[in-house]
Amino acid sequence: MTRAIGIIAAAAIILLFATLMIVIMPSMQTQSRSHPSEGLEAYSEQALRGRAVYVSQGCVYCHSQQPRDPAQAPDGIRGWGRPSVPGDYSYDNPHLLGTMRTGPDLLNIGARQPSVDWHLAHLYNPRAMVPGSTMPAYPFLFEVMEEKSSTDVEVKLPEAFSTGHRLIATPDALDLVQYLRELDRTYPVKVIPTVEKSAPAATEAQP
Amino acid sequence: MSLSIAFLLAMTFLISVGGLALLVWALANDQFGMGQRAAETIFAPGEVGEVEDPATPSADRASMQQSREAAHQTSNSEELFERTVADQSSRTPVLFWLSSSMIWLLLGSLFGVIASVKLHLPDWLVQDAVLTFGRVRPAHLNVVAYGWASMAGVGVGLFLIPRLFKTALVGGRYAIAGGLIWNAGLMYGTAAILAGLSDGLEWLEFPWQTDIALVIGGALAAVPLILTLLKKRVGHLYVSAWYLIAALVWFPMLFVTANIPNLFVGVDQAMLNWWFAHNVLGLWMTPLGLAAAYYFIPKIIGKPIHSYGLSLIGFWALALFYSQVGLHHLIGGPVPTWAITISIVHSVMMVIPVIAVAVNHHLTMLGSFRLMLYSPTLRFVVLGAMMYTFASVQGSMEALRSVNTITHFTHYTVAHAHMGLYGFLSFVLFGSIYFILPRLLAWEWPHAWAISTHFWLVFVGWGIYFWPLTLGGWLQGLAMLDPARSFMESVTLTQPYLQARSVGGSLMTLGHLVFATHFLMMVTREGPRRDGAPQLPAGRWATKGATS
């Protein structure tokens, strides 16, 4: 029994130590919550609702939100933005950094594609806007309506993809698009942790 | 920054001194000294040299023993009979956890195939939000991780406990209650993910109600481990017991900490997320799989593991290094570089426990590989152990910045995950279940061909899953790194590999159907009746069984 207690205690201590090293220590340094980047604006009410739609539809499983350093990958050349810093995520809960790029990085999608019309058409039928796209279509974020009221937003599909019906965006779709439009971290940041600046790591990180 | 470095140095110093003191203490107290004798704890006196696989058709068992080609005396000790009693003691809780895991395996496979097909048929099943890719994929992950792998792992653990401690299982009903709560939590959680009520963090999608159910259910399942431990009748705790005990300490620590709401936001939350997600593999699933492999490989072939001291070094090295690898999921991300480097270093250090385990598993098998022809359990478990070595070495390589730059954000990682959780863990669990059921039910598997069919379907299916996806992911990564190629190129080029993955995944699912049907026939005693009680030589069972 002493042996078992020894195993239990040592196992717990080792895990606590690991937590200290790779969670508590680095978070003491980054302090995501209390140190937003200068220039980062809090999400609007509508964007927060849209963010919940993003979470609920599981967009994170195909889209990252963390452009990498130019020294590591051509994310900047692809128009995905400068390398992100911890202060860019101060209002992100849950975080949506992501681990897959089945689709492109979205941290700055609002800056490179601000058009509501484009986003709505793309959500309804991704292949109408991006030939060859493998993104799932989200027809359930839209309603077919014959009568359009003054507040409704109609989806403008390209001629070839038109369904012949009048498509109205649901509030969920509009919220989601608003969130995407507010994904914009193009403001300059003072400290970009470029690989060049931390000299010893520079050679190692070359692809 | 200088403060953190000073702190790190101080911590490193203290830990090193502490570790050294622990080592000196361990040597002084003969903690490693039991050596090979300890490796024989799992055998009854005189049993070394005797093969044991109740999943082998009785007709083949004699030839299997002949293949073992080792001098052995047929053991006939009291201990063998007591082991039968011990096996029977865990019957109901083990059957409950294993049967539940079967249902989750089927459901999880179905979700997996749907998610896979959706990646090359993006307009398939899009009319309803419930079946959108972004919900089916996390449903697949959570169902196979917490439903199949965890429940089957706990079931196998519950079976091993009385064998490892050489006494009847105490408090089995707590495990049954725990299993009920665990199942209820999973049902709610899976429905919640499909309904869009996910927490949004990978591996932590389940809502808080499910989190609470898993914590309570898991704690109840751990009760028999502690109660039986108190009654143990062995001098030494075999290494499998070490893994089981540690896993049952680690899982609640990880799961509770990671699910505390609003502890962190943003990048800090991402670090906590990946600390959890990799530790749930390294400190929960891996120990369950290794505990089973460390028991079944030597037990089936009747040969103690190659080096017992090495197995303990492997255990502690796994604990020390695996616990700190999580941040390699954020290489290139907005996280302090030193923290990521710590994780990379530890990922590479994982080579040490992996070699320790590999030496033990593979060198123990050396000279006995022929037995895999007879023993279905051995076929699954030994292949699983090999894939553990492969998956781990691959993982260490993948954590290197140069390799990770290519593989990060691609399907390569997905393939790697299936090397670990499927190739290693699921194979070991399949094998374990084939061994366990005849012992619990005193009944042979109805159809030897069904076991072979299951094996070949999942083995071939998994190969078609893994290799193309690995290659496709690698090419996808190279395409993304080349600024001269458009992003769409990286999307288009993966298509044939993703289609291959759907084919492989479907074959695996078909294999699971065969397995689950066979499992059901076994439990309900359908099919041909063969060799009623394969626990012991028939005469022995009859005489002893009659008197007790």
Side-chain angles (χ1 to χ4, degrees):
Chain A
M1 197 57 205
T2 358
R3 178 75 58 90
I5 291 171
I7 296 172
I8 291 172
I13 289 168
I14 288 173
L15 180 55
L16 283 176
F17 175 67
T19 316
L20 182 76
M21 295 298 280
I22 67 165
V23 179
I24 299 171
M25 289 286 301
S27 68
M28 277 165 61
Q29 191 187 341
T30 55
Q31 299 190 38
S32 263
R33 196 195 298 261
S34 53
H35 288 68
S37 295
E38 268 178 56
L40 177 69
E41 283 175 41
Y43 298 110
S44 67
E45 281 279 321
Q46 191 188 5
L48 280 177
R49 289 198 304 272
R51 199 168 190 277
V53 177
Y54 188 99
V55 169
S56 131
Q57 298 298 336
C59 306
V60 70
Y61 300 105
C62 290
H63 295 284
S64 61
Q65 290 190 14
Q66 43 167 327
R68 290 184 283 184
D69 191 285
Q72 193 188 6
D75 294 5
I77 298 173
R78 297 202 184 282
W80 295 345
R82 62 164 168 79
S84 58
V85 296
D88 293 335
Y89 302 93
S90 296
Y91 306 117
D92 283 15
N93 186 18
H95 83 87
L96 295 169
L97 265 68
T99 48
M100 281 297 278
R101 284 182 178 167
T102 309
D105 192 277
L106 295 183
L107 190 65
N108 291 295
I109 183 67
R112 69 174 183 273
Q113 184 50 273
S115 159
V116 176
D117 286 342
W118 187 91
H119 279 299
L120 287 177
H122 183 246
L123 284 170
Y124 181 76
N125 183 355
R127 280 148 294 285
M129 310 311 281
V130 183
S133 166
T134 57
M135 184 167 119
Y138 294 87
F140 48 84
L141 292 176
F142 300 87
E143 280 173 290
V144 177
M145 277 203 206
E146 297 314 321
E147 294 292 306
K148 176 181 173 243
S149 78
S150 57
T151 48
D152 285 343
V153 181
E154 194 179 342
V155 182
K156 300 179 186 70
L157 284 168
E159 205 62 34
F161 293 90
S162 171
T163 56
H165 297 283
R166 191 162 250 183
L167 281 170
I168 304 297
T170 60
D172 273 358
L174 294 172
D175 293 346
L176 177 59
V177 170
Q178 182 56 28
Y179 168 63
L180 294 174
R181 279 159 46 85
E182 286 185 30
L183 278 175
D184 180 353
R185 268 73 162 171
T186 48
Y187 49 81
V189 285
K190 283 188 198 128
V191 192
I192 296 179
T194 55
V195 185
E196 283 83 359
K197 277 187 186 167
S198 50
T203 45
E204 189 188 343
Q206 294 295 338
Chain B
M1 193 64 177
S2 58
L3 180 75
S4 16
I5 289 172
F7 184 82
L8 277 178
L9 281 174
M11 283 311 293
T12 316
F13 178 75
L14 282 177
I15 295 286
S16 312
V17 172
L20 198 64
L22 199 68
L23 186 66
V24 170
W25 173 84
L27 290 175
N29 286 282
D30 202 23
Q31 294 293 303
F32 294 118
M34 302 197 65
Q36 281 316 98
R37 212 156 33 79
E40 291 177 25
T41 357
I42 56 170
F43 298 96
E47 200 192 4
V48 171
E50 196 169 324
V51 299
E52 181 189 8
D53 185 8
T56 305
S58 42
D60 290 345
R61 243 171 264 162
S63 4
M64 180 173 163
Q65 181 62 52
Q66 271 176 359
S67 282
R68 173 69 175 82
E69 284 166 4
H72 88 285
Q73 60 203 86
T74 304
S75 51
N76 210 13
S77 73
E78 200 57 25
E79 242 186 272
L80 278 188
F81 178 69
E82 281 167 12
R83 185 194 290 153
T84 312
V85 177
D87 282 354
Q88 290 301 311
S89 71
S90 62
R91 178 177 157 146
T92 320
V94 172
L95 270 179
F96 184 76
W97 281 78
L98 291 184
S99 314
S100 311
S101 78
M102 285 290 155
I103 296 166
W104 294 113
L105 174 67
L106 291 182
L107 189 67
S109 312
L110 181 69
F111 285 144
V113 173
I114 294 176
S116 175
V117 171
K118 277 172 163 281
L119 278 177
H120 51 87
L121 290 178
D123 287 310
W124 181 58
L125 294 182
V126 292
Q127 286 312 312
D128 201 282
V130 171
L131 290 177
T132 192
F133 174 81
R135 293 188 188 174
V136 179
R137 182 203 184 277
H140 162 68
L141 184 144
N142 284 282
V143 166
V144 295
Y146 300 108
W148 154 243
S150 296
M151 291 204 82
V154 169
V156 172
L158 286 168
F159 173 80
L160 289 180
I161 289 167
R163 280 195 164 216
L164 292 170
F165 301 155
K166 298 198 171 171
T167 185
L169 189 75
V170 187
R173 61 182 185 281
Y174 292 102
I176 298 172
L180 280 168
I181 297 173
W182 188 286
N183 274 323
L186 277 179
M187 279 181 229
Y188 177 80
T190 311
I193 290 174
L194 292 177
L197 301 172
S198 152
D199 280 356
L201 303 179
E202 282 184 73
W203 289 89
L204 291 164
E205 284 93 345
F206 282 143
W208 61 270
Q209 295 90 339
T210 297
D211 300 338
I212 291 173
L214 294 198
V215 169
I216 296 174
L220 285 171
V223 170
L225 174 67
I226 306 294
L227 293 182
T228 315
L229 187 62
L230 291 170
K231 292 258 164 74
K232 79 179 162 71
R233 300 208 326 241
V234 278
H236 182 80
L237 289 183
Y238 184 67
V239 63
S240 295
W242 292 47
Y243 279 109
L244 288 178
I245 293 170
L248 283 163
V249 173
W250 285 324
F251 182 69
M253 285 178 72
L254 292 166
F255 197 72
V256 170
T257 312
N259 278 303
I260 298 173
N262 290 317
L263 195 58
F264 289 124
V265 301
V267 167
D268 304 349
Q269 197 183 45
M271 292 189 286
L272 184 74
N273 188 174
W274 288 105
W275 162 86
F276 171 81
H278 214 105
N279 278 339
V280 82
L281 300 172
L283 301 182
W284 168 242
M285 313 245 177
T286 303
L288 291 178
L290 288 182
Y294 260 123
Y295 182 83
F296 287 116
I297 292 178
K299 190 69 197 67
I300 291 170
I301 66 176
K303 190 160 119 191
I305 52 167
H306 182 75
S307 162
Y308 194 74
L310 203 55
S311 74
L312 298 189
I313 292 174
F315 172 81
W316 289 116
L318 176 126
L320 275 170
F321 302 138
Y322 226 146
S323 53
Q324 303 199 40
V325 305
L327 295 190
H328 67 215
H329 287 271
L330 292 167
I331 294 175
V335 180
T337 311
W338 63 263
I340 288 182
T341 305
I342 287 179
S343 278
I344 296 175
V345 170
H346 283 90
S347 305
V348 176
M349 295 293 272
M350 270 305 290
V351 169
I352 294 172
V354 167
I355 289 179
V357 170
V359 163
N360 260 329
H361 288 171
H362 309 326
L363 289 189
T364 305
M365 274 304 289
L366 207 64
S368 304
F369 284 103
R370 256 188 74 80
L371 297 182
M372 288 168 74
L373 291 176
Y374 302 103
S375 162
T377 308
L378 206 57
R379 222 174 296 153
F380 276 111
V381 176
V382 168
L383 265 177
M386 285 176 174
M387 297 210 246
Y388 173 70
T389 312
F390 186 100
S392 304
V393 174
Q394 189 195 21
S396 297
M397 304 291 294
E398 226 175 317
L400 298 172
R401 281 198 173 86
S402 51
V403 180
N404 190 273
T405 298
I406 299 169
T407 61
H408 197 23
F409 300 125
T410 72
H411 294 294
Y412 185 95
T413 316
V414 181
H416 169 69
H418 286 78
M419 173 58 107
L421 266 181
Y422 199 86
F424 158 52
L425 186 60
S426 298
F427 267 60
V428 169
L429 291 173
F430 291 147
S432 307
I433 293 172
Y434 279 124
F435 184 100
I436 291 172
L437 252 59
R439 285 287 180 260
L440 293 185
L441 300 169
W443 194 257
E444 263 194 286
W445 287 97
H447 298 293
W449 61 262
I451 302 182
S452 303
T453 312
H454 171 212
F455 176 81
W456 288 110
L457 278 172
V458 297
F459 185 66
V460 171
W462 173 86
I464 298 175
Y465 183 110
F466 177 78
W467 294 106
L469 200 62
T470 298
L471 178 62
W474 186 266
L475 296 175
Q476 181 193 10
L478 289 178
M480 277 200 276
L481 282 180
D482 184 352
R485 299 163 77 178
S486 75
F487 179 77
M488 270 315 289
E489 230 181 287
S490 78
V491 175
T492 318
L493 75 83
T494 54
Q495 286 297 302
Y497 305 100
L498 293 173
Q499 287 159 0
R501 188 254 295 266
S502 292
V503 173
S506 306
L507 287 179
M508 285 150 72
T509 306
L510 208 57
H512 301 158
L513 271 172
V514 173
F515 181 38
T517 313
H518 201 197
F519 185 99
L520 188 68
M521 290 176 75
M522 177 77 174
V523 174
T524 54
R525 303 214 161 181
E526 287 290 327
R529 182 198 164 91
R530 293 160 52 205
D531 181 29
Q535 280 93 346
L536 282 175
R540 169 84 185 158
W541 170 253
T543 51
K544 251 328 220 194
T547 53
S548 63

